[in-house]
Amino acid sequence: MKLFKKVMAAGLASTMVLSMAACGGGSTETTAAPETTVAATEAPVETTAAEETTASEAAETTAEEVAEATGDFDASNVTVGISIYKFDDNFMTLYRTELERYLTEDLGFKKENITIQDGKGDQAEQSNQIDNFITSGVDVLILNLVQASSAPQITDKCNAAGIPVVYINREPDAEEEKRWESEGIKATYVGCDARQSGTFQGEEILATSNKGDINGDGKVSYIMIQGDPENVDAQYRTEFSVKALTDAGVEVEELFMQRGDWDQAKGQQLTQDALTLHGEDIEVVFCNNDAMALGALQAIEAAGRKVNEDIYLVGVDALTEAVQNVLDGKMTGTVFNDHIAQAKSAADIAVQFLQGEDVAAVNMVDYTKVTTENAQEVLDALK
């Protein structure tokens, strides 16, 4: 079995014990990531294997197995260029920290040979960083793009320089990924299918006693706090969270939708605005990530509302504070965006490229629902 598959499975399982049943007729998670992306018209892949996966089983992926899978590969003199779209993103801070830790502690890369730069949310800034990486002759690039639409140009530059590139977190479009395969370009994407995370948010609402219809008027009235609407994750989380409700036969009413750019302060302000406009008519607050959900919670509490009593609130990422809020009943649920498994997979695939192996164009890691049933286990693992 290839290294990235083994560690991906271990990372996903070792992060938590998956003890909950599927909610609202939805899927449960698997520790094995699909190697091909889902077509845009398809629903997220549903799997059940992870129900039988435990943390103790994950521990069986030992250092010896990692060494066996990497063979005689010597990472001590290999240089890695990493650019993150912006350092002050909560989720990507967790991701890059785990990525650097795994590269150095588990795979043997020297810290001084790893350069991690802040794209500062500016594609021009990040493109300059990538140009400098190429000029300096790094051996491999791991890139979290500011704008996924810039992937074709960046890929061509890397390909011309003979440098393999692993894109993370922000997925280039399907046509670009097909091009990598058809032209034999050493480029790949590692991430999660955001359709699954949106679906899981909707299922968490369906799992409530009234399926989100708090006032009993026969419909779920919601507001949507989006990330960046140009980002495919924001698009899919927005669409599929609501689709999960309508697919279950629930009537919905959108009262408010605005972009919050993944930012906590914006999430707070937008939710405050929506509460001022629509008041008690709001039954559900969907947030495309936990940072905005934390801001939404501040606005909800300031308005004298109480989550899980007269309003529901869900996010995505499973930030520690958000998971604690789920445990404390201050959030209805969140969805674990497994930065640990993703970081390990990205690093392992970089090694595969360096060893001259073939790599699939798309490598997905499953999300996991976080509810009161498993929040403590997730929290313990995150800490």
Side-chain angles (χ1 to χ4, degrees):
M1 183 181 296
K2 292 184 178 179
L3 173 62
F4 84 92
K5 288 183 180 178
K6 298 179 80 173
V7 180
M8 186 185 304
L12 193 64
S14 63
T15 312
M16 70 196 70
V17 178
L18 302 178
S19 59
M20 63 179 177
C23 300
S27 62
T28 51
E29 295 69 51
T30 179
T31 56
E35 293 188 357
T36 56
T37 191
V38 182
T41 57
E42 295 176 344
V45 176
E46 297 187 356
T47 51
T48 58
E51 290 180 311
E52 299 178 0
T53 302
T54 64
S56 61
E57 288 172 333
E60 294 176 5
T61 299
T62 63
E64 288 77 10
E65 288 178 309
V66 172
E68 179 183 355
T70 55
D72 296 326
F73 179 73
D74 181 5
S76 60
N77 293 315
V78 176
T79 55
V80 184
I82 302 171
S83 182
I84 302 300
Y85 94 100
K86 64 175 183 175
F87 275 10
D88 60 0
D89 181 288
N90 293 342
F91 175 74
M92 289 312 300
T93 297
L94 296 172
Y95 195 126
R96 65 184 166 88
T97 300
E98 174 60 22
L99 180 59
E100 183 177 21
R101 185 209 66 77
Y102 184 68
L103 283 167
T104 55
E105 295 181 14
D106 291 12
L107 297 184
F109 288 79
K110 290 183 178 178
K111 190 169 185 177
E112 58 267 28
N113 289 339
I114 300 171
T115 303
I116 306 178
Q117 295 192 332
D118 181 1
K120 301 177 181 178
D122 183 334
Q123 188 57 61
E125 171 82 14
Q126 186 178 57
S127 294
N128 286 334
Q129 294 171 0
I130 294 167
D131 288 344
N132 290 334
F133 280 139
I134 292 172
T135 300
S136 67
V138 297
D139 295 302
V140 65
L141 283 166
I142 299 176
L143 303 177
N144 169 220
L145 295 176
V146 174
Q147 296 175 351
S149 59
S150 66
Q153 295 76 25
I154 291 170
T155 301
D156 286 342
K157 288 182 180 181
C158 295
N159 188 47
I163 301 173
V165 57
V166 180
Y167 291 107
I168 60 173
N169 184 251
R170 294 186 166 193
E171 185 176 6
D173 65 34
E175 287 303 312
E176 174 64 3
E177 292 168 342
K178 290 177 182 177
R179 186 174 75 94
W180 303 339
E181 291 185 332
S182 64
E183 298 181 16
I185 295 172
K186 290 186 176 181
T188 191
Y189 173 71
V190 175
C192 295
D193 188 339
R195 286 164 285 206
Q196 188 184 54
S197 61
T199 298
F200 285 174
Q201 284 187 305
E203 290 175 354
E204 288 173 341
I205 298 302
L206 289 170
T208 63
S209 60
N210 46 29
K211 296 186 177 181
D213 183 13
I214 293 173
N215 60 21
D217 66 352
K219 62 185 177 184
V220 173
S221 300
Y222 71 91
I223 68 170
M224 181 71 66
I225 311 300
Q226 279 193 303
D228 176 358
E230 295 181 3
N231 183 294
V232 69
D233 282 9
Q235 295 167 13
Y236 285 152
R237 289 172 187 173
T238 296
E239 176 185 356
F240 281 83
S241 57
V242 177
K243 186 175 184 294
L245 299 182
T246 57
D247 284 352
V250 174
E251 184 181 346
V252 299
E253 177 187 25
E254 180 186 291
L255 298 176
F256 179 96
M257 181 168 66
Q258 293 289 333
R259 63 181 291 169
D261 292 319
W262 316 110
D263 183 76
Q264 181 169 338
K266 290 183 179 180
Q268 179 180 5
Q269 184 61 56
L270 290 172
T271 305
Q272 178 181 310
D273 293 345
L275 288 166
T276 299
L277 287 170
H278 300 287
E280 294 182 0
D281 290 339
I282 300 173
E283 296 170 297
V284 175
V285 180
F286 287 109
C287 294
N288 283 172
N289 77 340
D290 277 346
M292 296 187 298
L294 293 173
L297 177 60
Q298 292 173 295
I300 288 168
E301 292 180 336
R305 304 286 292 273
K306 189 167 183 179
V307 173
N308 294 332
E309 290 190 13
D310 60 19
I311 196 167
Y312 294 119
L313 172 64
V314 290
V316 176
D317 282 342
L319 298 179
T320 301
E321 186 176 353
V323 177
Q324 184 65 57
N325 284 337
V326 173
L327 193 63
D328 294 341
K330 295 182 178 181
M331 283 178 62
T332 307
T334 184
V335 182
F336 182 38
N337 191 1
D338 195 341
H339 63 278
I340 298 172
Q342 290 179 72
K344 290 179 177 181
S345 178
D348 292 335
I349 288 174
V351 170
Q352 285 185 269
F353 271 139
L354 293 167
Q355 290 179 304
E357 295 182 30
D358 292 330
V359 174
V362 179
N363 301 273
M364 291 295 190
V365 175
D366 276 334
Y367 288 95
T368 301
K369 279 181 277 190
V370 180
T371 66
T372 53
E373 285 82 3
N374 69 340
Q376 186 61 59
E377 292 167 310
V378 175
L379 190 64
D380 292 343
L382 290 172
K383 290 180 178 180

